[in-house]
Amino acid sequence: MTNAMSYKGYTASMVFDPEDKIIVGRVLDIDDIIAFHGESVAEFEACFHAAIDEYIAASRALGSEPERPASGRLMLRIAPDVHAAALEAAARSGTSLNKWAEKALGRSARKTAVRSPARGAG
């Protein structure tokens, strides 16, 4: 059973709070914090939709685009020599180009995050 719900590309966790007898939700995979709750699944869903619609409207009213969860798909245009070198490196490591690139991008992203913690900088 998946305890999640999706709306407009956003996914929210669903956790039952037995003490307050409510379903608590939080939008996943973005840095901004969006939390809400409902006493039933129908109310939870309505509150989730309202929270997302309000988040999108507030972001745009402030002159910025709302943060979107990453899809996990990335299309790159790179120089042919870089592509060839990446293919060779992936083959040497015994992995696919996708897995090799995922590791390389992950290492680089973590190094950058340590040096520059401000989101959206640069």
Side-chain angles (χ1 to χ4, degrees):
M1 180 169 98
T2 302
N3 293 322
M5 186 177 285
S6 295
Y7 177 66
K8 292 188 176 180
Y10 294 90
T11 301
S13 62
M14 299 173 71
V15 177
F16 180 68
D17 179 337
E19 187 174 314
D20 292 330
K21 295 184 176 31
I22 59 173
I23 305 167
V24 179
R26 179 167 175 171
V27 176
L28 306 171
D29 303 321
I30 63 173
D31 290 332
D32 292 325
I33 297 172
I34 305 172
F36 52 93
H37 68 274
E39 293 184 6
S40 67
V41 173
E43 184 179 0
F44 177 91
E45 183 175 33
C47 290
F48 175 37
H49 291 193
I52 293 300
D53 292 339
E54 291 169 13
Y55 171 67
I56 292 169
S59 294
R60 292 189 175 144
L62 293 170
S64 65
E65 282 299 308
E67 186 180 359
R68 296 282 181 184
S71 68
R73 294 175 301 223
L74 177 65
M75 174 69 114
L76 297 174
R77 301 224 185 277
I78 58 176
D81 60 319
V82 173
H83 189 180
L87 283 169
E88 290 174 15
R92 281 193 307 273
S93 70
T95 63
S96 69
L97 179 58
N98 279 338
K99 287 295 179 188
W100 182 87
E102 180 180 7
K103 281 183 165 180
L105 288 168
R107 280 192 305 268
S108 182
R110 284 187 288 279
K111 285 180 189 174
T112 301
V114 169
R115 286 191 301 251
S116 174
R119 189 184 92 196

